[in-house]
Amino acid sequence: MTVKKRPTIYDVAERAGVSKSLVSLVLRDSPRVSDAKREAVLEAVTALNYTPSRLAAGLAGTRTRSVGVIIDDFSNLWFVEALAGLRTALAEGGYALSVADASLNAHLGIDPIEAFRALRVDGIVLAGEASAPAVARSGVPAVVLGVRDLGAELAELPVIASDEAAGGRLATMHLAVQGHRDIACVSAPGASAARRERGYCDAIAELGLTPTVVRAPDTGEAAAREVAAELLARAESAQAPRPTAVFAVNDPMAVGVIGAARELGIAVPGDLSVVGYDDSPIAAYGLVSLTSVSGDPRELGEAAGQVLIAKLEGGATQIASRSFTPRLVARGSVAAY
């Protein structure tokens, strides 16, 4: 099978009978081109099925109409909805998305911001932790999506996020309203988890209860299952009151808590109520039916995209951060005590 050669800008110029630089002007919609030559170039583009290279445009000093997005973990379904919202907002301006997992190639010492810099993206969305010096070196507008620990150097960037401390409080108060008084929190590293945990602690203090916080080494289901199993087994062996409810700082961790409970013969929600966070697609699965706090990641993603477009298209420099109010989505993982 012979692979057909991809047409180049030189092929377009030759077919249209013009110079390569004039083709570039047409592709950039420059007004400095006559109607006749513009029509000839566009006819050649159509006939050859020519697609301009975004990278070549970047090297030529023009905009690539591409945006780089840094995320924390491809396995976290929160990013699915957030990226969908981003895509909706950026598609209106004709921008393409390039996504990099900050932790995926960490063992190779690869900084995704530097990779985006090489690709000459027009802007960056920080939906994961990133190096402040690398962001500064990128030289392009950036927006922070979600609560991130980015340091004082990036404090001036607009942050589009849910009020996650309020969300942690909302989850805890929901359990308290159901009659629970022994409420534990399964937390994890990271700025987002810390905010949610703080909301839990604030609510527990307000209720006059005793906090119980266990922290997993990461935000995944397996890590949460392990620490939850230790928490529940320890309470049993010490004959201490076992928590009747658990707030986990994300949905995969909540699933881990449910798994640990079932392995120990603890029924959810009959013996243990569980609330997660993010209202990710897994929460709505019938077998899980997880009560979860929603920060509406699709809405956050769309808002972040709109802010970035305002910076790219309008040249806006001072854009205020936006905080969205979370809501609780009640399902079958919580029962009255």
Side-chain angles (χ1 to χ4, degrees):
M1 177 180 176
T2 302
V3 179
K4 187 176 180 181
K5 181 183 176 183
R6 180 178 177 177
T8 68
I9 193 171
Y10 296 98
D11 297 325
V12 174
E14 181 179 359
R15 185 179 182 96
V18 299
S19 66
K20 180 184 78 70
S21 59
L22 192 138
V23 174
S24 295
L25 288 173
V26 172
L27 295 177
R28 286 151 49 190
D29 199 26
S30 171
R32 295 184 294 138
V33 181
S34 68
D35 291 341
K37 290 189 180 295
R38 185 185 303 277
E39 184 177 351
V41 168
L42 294 178
E43 286 179 354
V45 166
T46 301
L48 294 172
N49 195 25
Y50 171 70
T51 302
S53 166
R54 292 184 184 270
L55 179 57
L59 294 173
T62 58
R63 293 174 63 179
T64 61
R65 305 206 76 79
S66 61
V67 170
V69 185
I70 302 294
I71 69 174
D72 279 327
D73 183 3
F74 274 118
S75 67
N76 188 334
L77 295 179
W78 183 90
F79 291 109
V80 174
E81 294 297 308
L83 289 171
L86 265 173
R87 184 179 61 225
T88 297
L90 295 173
E92 297 177 3
Y95 289 91
L97 291 181
S98 296
V99 182
D101 185 330
S103 61
L104 188 62
N105 290 316
H107 63 293
L108 299 176
I110 297 175
D111 190 324
I113 297 287
E114 295 295 349
F116 286 146
R117 183 186 180 199
L119 291 172
R120 296 180 181 259
V121 297
D122 293 333
I124 295 173
V125 177
L126 302 173
E129 312 299 342
S131 159
V135 175
R137 284 195 300 273
S138 72
V140 297
V143 173
V144 180
L145 174 56
V147 175
R148 309 295 166 198
D149 185 13
L150 299 173
E153 301 95 327
L154 300 178
E156 78 284 356
L157 295 181
V159 177
I160 309 302
S162 170
D163 185 341
E164 303 202 335
R169 182 183 183 282
L170 180 64
T172 309
M173 285 299 188
H174 176 70
L175 290 167
V177 167
Q178 297 302 314
H180 295 278
R181 291 296 177 266
D182 292 314
I183 305 170
C185 174
V186 175
S187 191
S192 182
R195 293 280 184 89
R196 298 170 185 185
E197 180 186 325
R198 189 181 78 194
Y200 159 83
C201 290
D202 289 346
I204 289 293
E206 184 177 336
L207 293 164
L209 304 177
T210 302
T212 300
V213 179
V214 294
R215 296 185 183 89
D218 59 57
T219 58
E221 183 268 342
R225 180 189 291 255
E226 184 172 345
V227 298
E230 292 176 0
L231 168 70
L232 298 173
R234 183 173 68 239
E236 285 289 308
S237 62
Q239 297 183 340
R242 186 179 66 211
T244 64
V246 171
F247 163 52
V249 296
N250 70 29
D251 289 347
M253 297 185 78
V255 171
V257 172
I258 292 172
R262 288 178 177 169
E263 287 176 359
L264 292 168
I266 300 170
V268 176
D271 300 319
L272 181 73
S273 290
V274 180
V275 175
Y277 203 116
D278 288 332
D279 193 31
S280 59
I282 195 173
Y285 291 172
L287 289 175
V288 179
S289 189
L290 177 66
T291 294
S292 184
V293 177
S294 173
D296 204 337
R298 185 181 290 262
E299 182 181 20
L300 295 178
E302 190 165 353
Q306 291 167 350
V307 166
L308 188 59
I309 286 179
K311 293 169 74 73
L312 292 172
E313 305 288 350
T317 55
Q318 297 298 320
I319 298 180
S321 296
R322 295 182 61 187
S323 179
F324 290 74
T325 301
R327 58 189 174 85
L328 187 117
V329 181
R331 296 192 179 91
S333 64
V334 173
Y337 182 71

